[in-house]
Amino acid sequence: MNHTRLLVAASFGMVWATELPAETPAPEQEVVVIGLEEQLPQQLAEYGTHVDTISREAVRNGSYADVAQSLQALAPGLYVQPKNGPFDYAYMSLLGSRTGDILWLVDGVRINNRLYNGTPPLDTLPAGIVQRLEVLQGGQALFYGTDAVAGAVNIVTQPFTEKPSALFSIAADSHRTAHADGYFADSIGSHQFVVYGAKDRTDGYRAFRDQDYQPSSTHRDRAYDVYTLGAKYRVGLTDDLRVSLSYQQTEADLDYALPYRVARDMNSRSEKLATAKLDYEPGQAFGLYLKGYYHWWHTSYDTFYNDLGTPGAINVIYDDAFWGYDDRGINALARLSFTPGVDYFIGYDLQRYGGRDEVLFIAPNKEQTQAAFAQVRIGPELLANTHLAFGVRYNSPDVGEAATVWSVSGRHDFSEALFVSASLGTNFRLPSAEELFADDPLDERGNPNLRPERSRSLNVSIGGAFGDRAARFEWEVTGFARTIKDLIDYDQFDEVTQQSVFNNVPGTVKVRGAALGLREEIAQALALDLSVTRNRSRVDGGEQINRVPESLVKASLDYHPAASPFGATVAINYTGKVWTSVGDDRVQYGKYTIVDVSGRYSFGQDRRQQIVLSLQNAFDEEHGLPARGCADVATDGPYDCSAPYTYVNLGLPRTLRASYQYAF
């Protein structure tokens, strides 16, 4: 077992459950994974970064609908709480982080929302486009830049293959949901191409408790309609030089569910992601990639309220209101190897972005940021069984202050049975467009003089493995610490304009925690995985930060005998105490357990057909995020709330889902 495989294997155990089960042989697709960018996460794993890789097969064996739901069930150490089930806004926490401290990427392109730091861009990412999910823990600002304070998640779409490869899948569930996805990949000479797509639609399901609905809410079933189409093309101009193009487009209608007043509340989303890349690798001494990208994210927003005083009358709050942003840039990375055992990496980023919002009144704006970075890696050719890396990055935005960060990481293998690894560094988060440019009358105002949030993080792990193919046991224990300064939040109230104003507020966020990962594989037929994460995330020693759970436990038992066409998985996800603010009150929630059960049967030639039957949230655990609502009072206008109450945004209820797939 090589070093990368050992690290990924021992990294919180759950990652092993993502391997292709033995009862479902993989199509002979000869997946092509080449280039500096594609290899970067696993190279970082060799040098002390904790990386979990979740495979397409693990996602499909659980019959999960979207990326958020897949990560909620399968990613060790990552807390995900969708607002109301699949294809909705979600709150996240990675090893005790805030939602905005995680960077999100699709095929290496950052997709974080440039308007709002606390709105992750996961509500339009179907599970059907996923080839694998890569979760990098710890600060990743060196290579990925702003927002990667606690880690980064890379969503890798369907890959290039040397031989024809295809998959088609359909599914339906007990909430009137219909799903279809598929892809086809092939090569003709030096030309390679992939086309893929996914469609998810539901007529709706109840997103709140019965007692939370007000009579004024006439749109009670949350619905969504999402489709995604993508294509990739790559050509080898020479043995050393490749050019690749990709394009992905998503169109979606997403209900923003509320239990009061709503007659219609809809986000109509259009998202486009295009890239062009050159890879040049003439030999072991030199490698280069240069990529340009364009990310276009636009929403038309409708909110119609039922009038409380006039039955049948409608108050139009927003009608086709626009909010969105454009993000484009260039990434370049070069590898130089002059001496065996020493590699030098030099990179450059240019990012230009802008956006506006007619809902919360963010005026049109344009920003640009540039960055230069470098890393030196020392391999085991110089230091036996040891990998070390040292890096620095300088980030220069045209709005706000510059930020310089550094990182040191490494790993030493005493033997296959024991290793230690560590990563230490600084990271940063640039202000969002809301924090810089918002000018919402009687609400909030941005501040273009904000400094970036700055942080320092440390992750230290010890782990190992023992046993043989008949019975194998792996373990890892990790301690992590993170400190964040120059917090961006409301810091003053302007009495003249009646606006709250963003500023860098006093105070330090301190995160301290530990994680344990265990895995046992018996006779290559039964795998038991367990990950436990515990943290204290507080500002100046005060209370736990809102929407950051104190503890998270994920466990799974997967049955996959090679001689049998049957397989089964039980996944358990426990979330400990969590808090949030509802009006002036601090409310505790959490302390719930979600159990997913699935069984699969593979049949046909080479078992290329598969049926999966899953029961998600099998015990119908009522869980979700408390929020502030407005009870019906006939004298209230559309913006009034004379009788506030607390309701709960429910997560996915018990769901029976059946799927069929055919692959070759």
Side-chain angles (χ1 to χ4, degrees):
M1 178 179 292
N2 62 37
H3 294 153
T4 303
R5 183 65 179 277
L6 177 59
L7 177 64
V8 176
S11 299
F12 282 92
M14 290 287 292
V15 65
W16 274 91
T18 69
E19 292 186 342
L20 187 66
E23 81 278 1
T24 311
E28 295 182 6
Q29 50 179 277
E30 296 188 12
V31 172
V32 180
V33 181
I34 54 178
L36 291 178
E37 184 181 33
E38 291 83 359
Q39 296 173 2
L40 182 60
Q42 295 309 320
Q43 289 178 349
L44 294 176
E46 293 184 353
Y47 286 83
T49 294
H50 183 110
V51 179
D52 290 313
T53 302
I54 301 167
S55 74
R56 178 185 70 188
E57 288 72 28
V59 172
R60 290 184 177 273
N61 286 344
S63 197
Y64 298 112
D66 67 351
V67 167
Q69 189 184 20
S70 304
L71 292 169
Q72 181 184 30
L74 300 174
L78 178 61
Y79 163 74
V80 180
Q81 178 61 63
K83 175 179 172 287
N84 291 124
F87 300 103
D88 203 352
Y89 297 129
Y91 292 99
M92 284 88 170
S93 178
L94 180 60
L95 302 185
S97 79
R98 301 166 299 172
T99 295
D101 294 335
I102 305 170
L103 177 64
W104 300 93
L105 310 135
V106 171
D107 291 330
V109 176
R110 59 183 305 118
I111 60 168
N112 279 45
N113 191 314
R114 281 302 309 159
L115 291 174
Y116 304 105
N117 180 59
T119 306
L122 296 188
D123 53 349
T124 54
L125 288 170
I129 69 172
V130 170
Q131 196 268 337
R132 67 182 183 275
L133 302 169
E134 299 170 329
V135 183
L136 291 76
Q137 295 186 359
Q140 302 299 322
L142 179 65
F143 285 98
Y144 295 112
T146 179
D147 301 324
V149 174
V153 180
N154 187 27
I155 298 134
V156 182
T157 61
Q158 304 297 350
F160 294 107
T161 62
E162 294 286 359
K163 297 180 180 180
S165 174
L167 182 147
F168 173 73
S169 173
I170 57 174
D173 70 24
S174 54
H175 299 302
R176 299 175 294 172
T177 298
H179 164 84
D181 75 80
Y183 80 90
F184 177 74
D186 199 0
S187 63
I188 303 174
S190 61
H191 303 269
Q192 297 172 312
F193 61 89
V194 185
V195 292
Y196 59 89
K199 170 74 170 178
D200 293 87
R201 184 181 185 277
T202 180
D203 292 331
Y205 54 89
R206 293 296 171 94
F208 307 99
R209 302 172 301 182
D210 290 341
Q211 65 265 32
D212 290 338
Y213 283 101
Q214 298 296 304
S216 62
S217 177
T218 57
H219 187 74
R220 298 198 165 199
D221 291 341
R222 180 183 180 260
Y224 55 78
D225 189 354
V226 183
Y227 79 81
T228 299
L229 297 174
K232 298 180 181 180
Y233 167 75
R234 179 160 63 192
V235 58
L237 301 178
T238 69
D239 291 342
D240 305 326
L241 182 64
R242 301 177 302 278
V243 174
S244 57
L245 306 172
S246 70
Y247 179 79
Q248 179 175 300
Q249 180 167 341
T250 297
E251 303 291 331
D253 289 324
L254 308 169
D255 273 351
Y256 184 82
L258 288 174
Y260 60 95
R261 300 191 184 178
V262 169
R264 172 182 170 84
D265 205 336
M266 176 74 71
N267 282 304
S268 295
R269 182 75 46 74
S270 182
E271 184 172 12
K272 302 172 184 178
L273 186 62
T275 67
K277 188 171 69 163
L278 179 147
D279 285 282
Y280 180 54
E281 295 186 87
Q284 294 295 320
F286 181 73
L288 168 72
Y289 87 78
L290 176 65
K291 180 171 71 175
Y293 68 89
Y294 176 61
H295 184 204
W296 190 88
W297 189 96
H298 287 186
T299 286
S300 295
Y301 188 50
D302 294 341
T303 300
F304 301 165
Y305 279 177
N306 292 301
D307 191 288
L308 298 178
T310 307
I314 297 294
N315 295 309
V316 177
I317 310 301
Y318 302 109
D319 185 5
D320 199 29
F322 173 85
W323 59 303
Y325 62 90
D326 300 340
D327 188 354
R328 65 200 72 194
I330 296 173
N331 308 136
L333 181 65
R335 172 184 53 80
L336 304 170
S337 301
F338 304 115
T339 305
V342 181
D343 293 326
Y344 301 90
F345 290 81
I346 302 173
Y348 171 77
D349 282 345
L350 171 64
Q351 186 183 9
R352 293 178 177 174
Y353 44 84
R356 61 187 176 92
D357 188 343
E358 297 174 350
V359 178
L360 290 180
F361 298 100
I362 298 176
N365 65 87
K366 295 288 183 181
E367 301 171 69
Q368 175 176 299
T369 182
Q370 300 183 72
F373 56 95
Q375 186 184 58
V376 179
R377 298 178 188 171
I378 299 174
E381 295 88 346
L382 293 184
L383 297 173
N385 302 319
T386 302
H387 294 75
L388 294 175
F390 311 87
V392 64
R393 178 187 182 105
Y394 176 73
N395 203 85
S396 177
D398 63 357
V399 179
E401 294 186 5
T404 300
V405 297
W406 55 267
S407 70
V408 179
S409 63
R411 173 186 170 102
H412 179 75
D413 294 283
F414 296 97
S415 65
E416 184 174 311
L418 183 64
F419 73 87
V420 294
S421 66
S423 61
L424 171 67
T426 57
N427 299 275
F428 68 105
R429 181 183 76 80
L430 295 176
S432 67
E434 176 194 21
E435 294 160 341
L436 291 170
F437 304 117
D439 191 8
D440 197 347
L442 306 180
D443 189 355
E444 63 179 26
R445 187 171 75 239
N447 178 0
N449 297 314
L450 289 172
R451 298 186 300 275
E453 290 187 352
R454 303 169 189 270
S455 65
R456 178 172 296 180
S457 61
L458 171 66
N459 287 32
V460 179
S461 298
I462 181 171
F466 56 87
D468 54 23
R469 295 174 64 90
R472 184 173 180 82
F473 180 78
E474 288 127 13
W475 63 279
E476 182 175 3
V477 178
T478 300
F480 55 89
R482 187 165 55 254
T483 302
I484 304 174
K485 296 183 178 180
D486 288 331
L487 293 172
I488 299 173
D489 206 340
Y490 299 119
D491 186 46
Q492 68 183 80
F493 185 77
D494 190 326
E495 295 287 352
V496 176
T497 63
Q498 294 293 294
Q499 291 174 306
S500 297
V501 182
F502 284 104
N503 213 330
N504 294 103
V505 302
T508 301
V509 175
K510 292 185 179 180
V511 179
R512 304 290 185 267
L516 168 69
L518 303 175
R519 172 180 172 82
E520 185 169 9
E521 172 80 26
I522 302 173
Q524 295 186 308
L526 188 65
L528 173 63
D529 298 274
L530 173 67
S531 69
V532 181
T533 308
R534 179 82 178 176
N535 76 86
R536 287 169 55 92
S537 301
R538 309 191 175 194
V539 179
D540 291 337
E543 298 175 312
Q544 182 82 354
I545 294 174
N546 282 350
R547 297 182 292 277
V548 176
E550 287 188 335
S551 58
L552 186 66
V553 180
K554 295 187 179 183
S556 73
L557 182 66
D558 189 76
Y559 174 70
H560 49 267
S564 172
F566 294 96
T569 303
V570 177
I572 302 171
N573 186 339
Y574 170 77
T575 298
K577 293 179 182 178
V578 199
W579 285 265
T580 192
S581 295
V582 180
D584 295 329
D585 298 326
R586 180 173 164 85
V587 177
Q588 180 187 311
Y589 62 108
K591 299 184 70 174
Y592 58 82
T593 302
I594 306 300
V595 178
D596 298 334
V597 181
S598 65
R600 53 194 182 266
Y601 173 66
S602 303
F603 60 99
Q605 183 179 6
D606 297 325
R607 297 184 186 171
R608 300 199 183 279
Q609 299 182 71
Q610 186 179 75
I611 294 174
V612 177
L613 189 65
S614 68
L615 189 61
Q616 297 164 1
N617 193 3
F619 297 103
D620 204 21
E621 180 82 3
E622 186 177 279
H623 66 289
L625 177 69
R628 180 180 183 268
C630 300
D632 290 353
V633 176
T635 56
D636 276 358
Y639 298 100
D640 297 330
C641 189
S642 61
Y645 74 103
T646 298
Y647 66 87
V648 177
N649 286 291
L650 293 179
L652 187 71
R654 179 164 49 213
T655 302
L656 179 64
R657 185 176 173 95
S659 65
Y660 164 83
Q661 75 174 36
Y662 174 74
F664 70 84

